[in-house]
């Protein structure tokens, strides 16, 4: 059966992967983005109804993160509109070990709309599509908590789980925690990227205070600095986030992507050898 599915953040790391998969399966996909028609803008609730109109289900990714101030109220408003628009199923992308994110999850769980919660560990793609990329391209990475172990999860695995959850009722009411199959530190990750690219990439552990100051000195927006500080201080160091889970296997019937597979796939794109954009 062909479904009408709204993918919020449909141009982001997981959203675009979900949209491609659903389209290939023959479903009618609407991208929820400010640049689309109809537009969807988290900061303009008046755009939400039009974006949801005629849709059967919805994948929710909140930018920049469910932990930021205002996210809880936004998810509340979104779910109220979803009920008015007769959305039948939602899948929410959440973060592992984030108390604020779990408050947002509860709004979805209590909404009366069929739902699945997908809690993801930190993404592999943070090193190739996000804030760690530029220092890698520059050849020098300085990060706090250098030896904290993280079970990085691949965005393609997340997308596969989300598609399953959107299309199959057996996942209704479930909370899935997605991780990769092993734990890695920042130090190990940068070493492995250096090795596979054949480039010398320096790594230096620094304090979180120095990292935050460096961002401020570079003119990084205050709300983004707040979020990164929160993620490093509260999420990365949470012992619950240093645990490998088996939910990808449970949902997909296969093992999660290992970081080495991500490295081999990504190095062929040349992204780590590209000069930094001015």
């Amino acid at each position: 059966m062909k479904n009408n599915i709204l993918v919020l953040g449909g141009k982001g790391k997981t959203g675009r992967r979900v949209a491609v998969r659903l389209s290939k399966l023959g479903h009618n996909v609407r991208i929820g983005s400010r640049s689309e028609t109809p537009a969807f803008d988290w900061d303009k609730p008046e755009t939400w109804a039009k974006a949801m109109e005629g849709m059967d289900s919805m994948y929710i990714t909140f930018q920049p993160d469910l932990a930021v101030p205002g996210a809880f109220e936004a998810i509340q408003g979104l779910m109220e509109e979803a009920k008015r628009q007769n959305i039948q199923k939602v899948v929410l992308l959440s973060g592992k070990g984030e108390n604020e994110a779990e408050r947002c999850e509860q709004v979805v769980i209590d909404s009366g709309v069929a739902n699945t919660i997908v809690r993801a560990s930190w993404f592999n793609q943070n090193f190739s599509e996000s804030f760690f990329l530029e220092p890698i391209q520059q050849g020098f990475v300085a990060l706090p908590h250098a030896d904290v172990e993280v079970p990085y999860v691949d965005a393609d695995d997340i997308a596969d789980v989300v598609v399953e959850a959107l299309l199959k009722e057996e996942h209704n009411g479930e909370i899935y925690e997605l991780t990769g199959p092993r734990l890695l530190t920042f130090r190990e990750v940068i070493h492995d990227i250096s090795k596979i690219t054949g480039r010398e990439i320096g790594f230096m552990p620094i304090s979180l205070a120095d990292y935050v100051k460096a961002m401020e000195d570079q003119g990084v927006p205050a709300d983004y600095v707040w979020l990164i500080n929160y993620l490093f201080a509260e999420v990365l160091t949470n012992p619950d986030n240093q645990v490998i889970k088996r939910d990808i296997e449970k949902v997909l019937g296969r093992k999660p992507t290992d970081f080495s597979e991500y490295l081999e796939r990504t190095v062929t794109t040349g992204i780590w050898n590209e000069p930094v954009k001015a």
Side-chain angles (χ1 to χ4, degrees):
M1 188 176 79
K2 185 175 175 181
N3 292 317
N4 300 315
I5 304 172
L6 174 63
V7 178
L8 301 185
K11 296 180 177 178
K13 283 194 286 293
T14 64
R16 74 171 187 274
R17 289 170 164 88
V18 167
V20 166
R21 284 160 171 73
L22 291 170
S23 295
K24 282 182 178 174
L25 290 169
H27 298 285
N28 176 34
V29 177
R30 180 179 291 167
I31 303 296
S33 167
R34 284 177 295 190
S35 59
E36 294 293 310
T37 305
F40 178 94
D41 188 338
W42 279 110
D43 295 325
K44 295 179 179 174
E46 63 272 18
T47 64
W48 300 353
K50 195 75 177 166
M52 288 187 215
E53 193 177 335
M55 296 291 104
D56 304 310
S57 51
M58 173 168 60
Y59 175 47
I60 306 170
T61 63
F62 183 83
Q63 296 299 321
D65 192 277
L66 287 174
V68 302
F72 178 76
E73 292 78 12
I75 296 297
Q76 277 185 318
L78 185 80
M79 292 312 299
E80 287 165 9
E81 190 59 53
K83 284 189 284 187
R84 283 194 287 270
Q85 297 297 328
N86 201 30
I87 299 286
Q88 298 297 302
K89 171 72 186 277
V90 300
V91 175
L92 174 71
L93 180 67
S94 185
K96 279 183 87 272
E98 295 183 25
N99 292 331
E100 290 82 356
E102 288 181 22
R103 287 182 69 220
C104 294
E105 293 174 11
Q106 204 58 48
V107 170
V108 172
I109 290 166
D110 294 340
S111 68
V113 178
N115 64 82
T116 305
I117 307 297
V118 174
R119 288 181 189 157
S121 185
W122 283 30
F123 299 1
N124 292 341
Q125 281 72 13
N126 287 344
F127 299 99
S128 53
E129 299 178 21
S130 195
F131 51 96
F132 297 139
L133 173 60
E134 191 172 310
I136 291 168
Q137 291 173 330
Q138 290 172 335
F140 183 76
V141 181
L143 287 169
H145 302 310
D147 296 306
V148 170
E149 294 184 316
V150 179
Y152 292 101
V153 66
D154 200 84
D156 285 306
D157 287 350
I158 298 169
D160 286 343
V161 169
V162 168
V163 168
E164 279 285 310
L166 280 166
L167 300 180
K168 294 183 180 172
E169 289 186 7
E170 68 204 59
H171 303 294
N172 290 1
E174 296 288 346
I175 298 175
Y176 295 125
E177 297 200 336
L178 309 188
T179 74
R182 62 188 170 113
L183 298 162
L184 288 161
T185 67
F186 285 136
R187 198 188 300 272
E188 290 168 332
V189 165
I190 300 307
H191 172 268
D192 289 351
I193 293 174
S194 177
K195 188 175 175 183
I196 202 165
T197 57
R199 293 177 58 223
E200 191 170 324
I201 304 171
F203 180 82
M204 184 178 78
I206 59 171
S207 71
L208 182 54
D210 286 344
Y211 189 60
V212 167
K213 186 175 186 306
M215 286 191 291
E216 290 171 341
D217 290 347
Q218 290 165 13
V220 174
D223 56 347
Y224 190 75
V225 172
W226 178 91
L227 175 61
I228 297 301
N229 184 52
Y230 167 82
L231 291 174
F232 275 93
E234 303 293 333
V235 180
L236 185 70
T237 54
N238 183 337
D240 290 345
N241 289 337
Q242 295 154 34
V243 177
I244 292 165
K245 299 284 188 174
R246 305 289 178 197
D247 285 355
I248 287 174
E249 260 179 276
K250 187 166 131 185
V251 176
L252 302 177
R254 63 164 175 81
K255 293 191 181 301
T257 302
D258 188 79
F259 196 78
S260 62
E261 297 171 65
Y262 158 74
L263 290 175
E264 288 163 10
R265 194 174 67 222
T266 306
V267 74
T268 63
T269 68
I271 188 69
W272 288 318
N273 294 310
E274 287 183 14
V276 177
K277 293 171 186 167

